[in-house]
């Protein structure tokens, strides 16, 4: 049984007691305690560590706070715990502390995880034009001129839209020189979605070598996945929200844009991310998409994009991601996805192969 000294709110004390009353006993003297639990609400609370044996202190945070985490780096604490306190997590931390007398690796791991959460939580909002285009997507009877006008309010986005429309992605036979003409050739939905896609491109302007790729290719993968989601949705016999699925495809790997700043070894999958950092790109995407007020259904599809599900929208994203990673998988995937969306398998294969050929220019 651990001898625990606690300093913090009464409610937090009661929560800990409720979870672990049979595994810990509280003491009044920090010097006699095996473990010290210190609740930190503001940066000034960190000064309380000065009078404690910091090597056996677990700091409890209400939420990840960049200022607090940076100040904690000067102390050799045992670890960081986030509220709400959960029995299995708290017990695991205490057991780890009890087994490992040198707690610096544990501290490094927990501090890193907290820093990632803090960075994801403080991420900048989507650009205004992207937010407004997403909002307009959910409205009925939106006028074409309204969408075009909205894109043109940001000349930087508008010029990038035209650049990508004239790139090999779309293989236009003649140069498109205006957003209006682009909507005639490609359709309003496509032009709108390209504008939204470009809002995320800057986030991938980083070194992704430990992911075995480049930032440009990482963004292109998200873009192609989004386009495949849209294409498969349009092939489906059921009426699917192709705009929502496009966004799910676009955002499915957004968490990697944060994790790439923290990984230190080559990553081959979500399990590698979890091993290195305690979080994977899906965990981080959940934080980002909630911060951006993305619809819950889209967040749900993104959350499950590495797991096969017979639920049609989740399946669309799951298979779109696989095919975007490796087009050779089209036929292997076709049996399952064609049944789910209710189309002939050979028709599905032909449509997707033709679509990818067009994308390659």
């Amino acid at each position: 049984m651990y001898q625990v000294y606690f300093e913090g709110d009464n409610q937090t004390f009661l929560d800990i007691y409720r979870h672990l009353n049979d595994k810990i006993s509280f003491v009044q003297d920090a010097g006699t305690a095996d473990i010290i639990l210190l609740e930190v609400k503001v940066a000034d609370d960190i000064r309380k560590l000065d009078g404690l044996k910091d090597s056996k202190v677990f700091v409890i945070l209400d939420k990840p706070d960049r200022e607090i985490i940076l100040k904690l780096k000067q102390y050799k604490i045992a670890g960081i715990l986030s509220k709400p306190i959960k029995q299995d997590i708290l017990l695991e931390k205490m057991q780890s502390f009890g087994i490992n007398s040198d707690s610096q690796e544990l501290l490094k791991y927990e501090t890193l995880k907290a820093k990632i959460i803090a960075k994801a939580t403080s991420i900048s909002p989507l650009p205004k034009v992207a937010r407004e285009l997403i909002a307009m997507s959910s409205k009925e009877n939106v006028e074409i001129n309204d969408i075009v006008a909205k894109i043109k309010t940001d000349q930087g986005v508008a010029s990038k839209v035209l650049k990508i429309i004239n790139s090999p992605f779309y293989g236009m036979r003649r140069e498109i020189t205006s957003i209006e003409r682009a909507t005639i050739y490609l359709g309003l939905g496509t032009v709108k979605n390209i504008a939204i896609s470009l809002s995320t491109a800057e986030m991938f302007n980083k070194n992704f070598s430990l992911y075995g790729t480049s930032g440009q290719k990482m963004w292109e993968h998200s873009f192609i996945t989004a386009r495949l989601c849209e294409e498969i949705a349009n092939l489906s016999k059921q009426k699917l929200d192709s705009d929502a699925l496009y966004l799910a495809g676009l955002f499915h790997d957004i968490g990697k844009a944060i994790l790439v700043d923290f990984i230190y070894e080559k990553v081959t999958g979500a399990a590698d991310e979890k091993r290195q950092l305690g979080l994977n790109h899906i965990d981080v995407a959940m934080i980002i998409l909630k911060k951006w007020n993305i619809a819950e259904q889209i967040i749900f599809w993104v959350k499950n994009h590495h797991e096969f599900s017979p639920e049609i929208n989740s399946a669309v994203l799951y298979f779109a991601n696989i095919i975007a990673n490796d087009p050779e998988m089209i036929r292997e995937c076709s049996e399952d996805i064609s049944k789910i969306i209710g189309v002939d398998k050979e028709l599905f294969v032909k449509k997707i192969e033709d679509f990818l050929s067009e994308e390659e220019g």
Side-chain angles (χ1 to χ4, degrees), residues 126-175:
L126 278 170
K128 182 179 178 182
V129 66
R131 296 198 308 271
E132 293 179 348
L133 287 172
I134 291 172
M136 293 172 81
S137 299
S138 63
K139 297 178 181 178
E140 295 182 5
N141 304 319
V142 177
E143 296 291 335
I144 292 177
N145 290 339
D146 292 337
I147 297 287
V148 171
K150 185 60 62 182
I151 294 172
K152 290 169 71 175
T153 60
D154 188 323
Q155 284 302 309
V157 170
S159 64
K160 289 176 183 177
V161 167
L162 293 176
K163 183 177 180 180
I164 199 167
I165 285 172
N166 287 299
S167 74
F169 271 123
Y170 288 92
M172 303 302 294
R173 300 189 181 203
R174 62 175 68 181
E175 185 179 6

Side-chain angles (χ1 to χ4, degrees), residues 49-113:
L49 284 167
D50 293 337
L52 299 174
K53 189 176 179 181
D54 49 13
S55 61
K56 60 179 181 180
V57 175
F58 283 91
V59 171
I60 300 172
L61 301 180
D62 281 332
K63 59 182 179 180
D65 183 291
R66 185 186 298 274
E67 182 184 2
I68 292 174
I69 291 167
L70 288 175
K71 286 189 175 183
L72 283 173
K73 289 179 70 176
Q74 64 186 292
Y75 294 93
K76 297 179 180 180
I77 62 173
I80 297 173
L81 298 168
S82 296
K83 295 175 68 175
I85 303 296
K86 295 182 179 178
Q87 178 179 353
D88 55 345
I89 294 175
L90 183 55
L91 186 58
E92 178 185 348
K93 304 300 182 191
M94 290 184 171
Q95 288 174 337
S96 296
F97 177 79
I99 294 169
N100 181 13
S101 59
D102 181 5
S103 58
Q104 291 311 298
E105 283 302 313
L106 178 63
L107 170 61
K108 179 181 176 182
Y109 185 80
E110 290 300 318
T111 302
L112 190 58
K113 183 175 175 181

Side-chain angles (χ1 to χ4, degrees), residues 323-351:
I323 294 169
N325 271 317
D326 182 4
E328 296 297 320
M329 292 292 291
I330 293 174
R331 287 196 171 273
E332 188 169 330
C333 295
S334 62
E335 185 77 41
D336 289 322
I337 187 60
S338 60
K339 286 181 180 178
I340 291 171
I341 66 174
V343 299
D344 177 74
K345 182 176 78 170
E346 292 305 317
L347 174 64
F348 173 84
V349 171
K350 183 179 187 310
K351 289 285 187 180

Side-chain angles (χ1 to χ4, degrees), residues 226-359:
R227 295 271 286 136
L228 278 166
C229 283
E230 184 179 45
E231 185 71 11
I232 296 171
N234 290 333
L235 281 174
S236 175
K237 294 298 183 183
Q238 298 187 43
K239 187 176 181 180
L240 301 180
D241 188 338
S242 59
D243 274 351
L245 279 164
Y246 182 98
L247 291 178
L250 180 66
F251 294 142
H252 77 285
D253 275 346
I254 199 72
K256 292 180 180 179
I258 297 292
L259 291 188
V260 72
D261 295 331
F262 297 94
I263 58 174
Y264 51 85
E265 293 177 354
K266 186 176 180 181
V267 169
T268 58
D272 273 342
E273 295 168 337
K274 200 89 169 181
R275 175 183 57 79
Q276 289 185 43
L277 308 173
L279 297 164
N280 62 34
H281 66 279
I282 300 172
D283 299 323
V284 177
M286 298 300 97
I287 298 170
I288 295 171
L289 298 184
K290 287 176 183 176
K291 174 76 181 289
W292 285 349
N293 294 316
I294 300 300
E296 286 296 327
Q297 63 177 2
I298 295 173
I299 294 176
F300 176 79
W301 302 335
V302 170
K303 181 180 180 180
N304 296 292
H305 76 266
H306 281 309
E307 299 178 10
F308 171 74
S309 169
E311 193 278 315
I312 188 167
N313 296 285
S314 298
V316 169
L317 176 56
Y318 172 79
F319 285 111
N321 181 45
I322 290 174
I323 294 169
N325 271 317
D326 182 4
E328 296 297 320
M329 292 292 291
I330 293 174
R331 287 196 171 273
E332 188 169 330
C333 295
S334 62
E335 185 77 41
D336 289 322
I337 187 60
S338 60
K339 286 181 180 178
I340 291 171
I341 66 174
V343 299
D344 177 74
K345 182 176 78 170
E346 292 305 317
L347 174 64
F348 173 84
V349 171
K350 183 179 187 310
K351 289 285 187 180
I352 299 302
E353 286 181 340
D354 289 348
F355 168 78
L356 289 175
S357 295
E358 291 172 3
E359 291 291 305

Side-chain angles (χ1 to χ4, degrees), residues 11-22 26 87:
Q11 185 58 54
T12 306
F13 172 85
L14 292 173
D15 287 343
I16 295 170
Y17 181 78
R18 250 196 316 269
H19 289 318
L20 290 169
N21 67 81
D22 61 334
F26 289 96
Q87 178 179 353

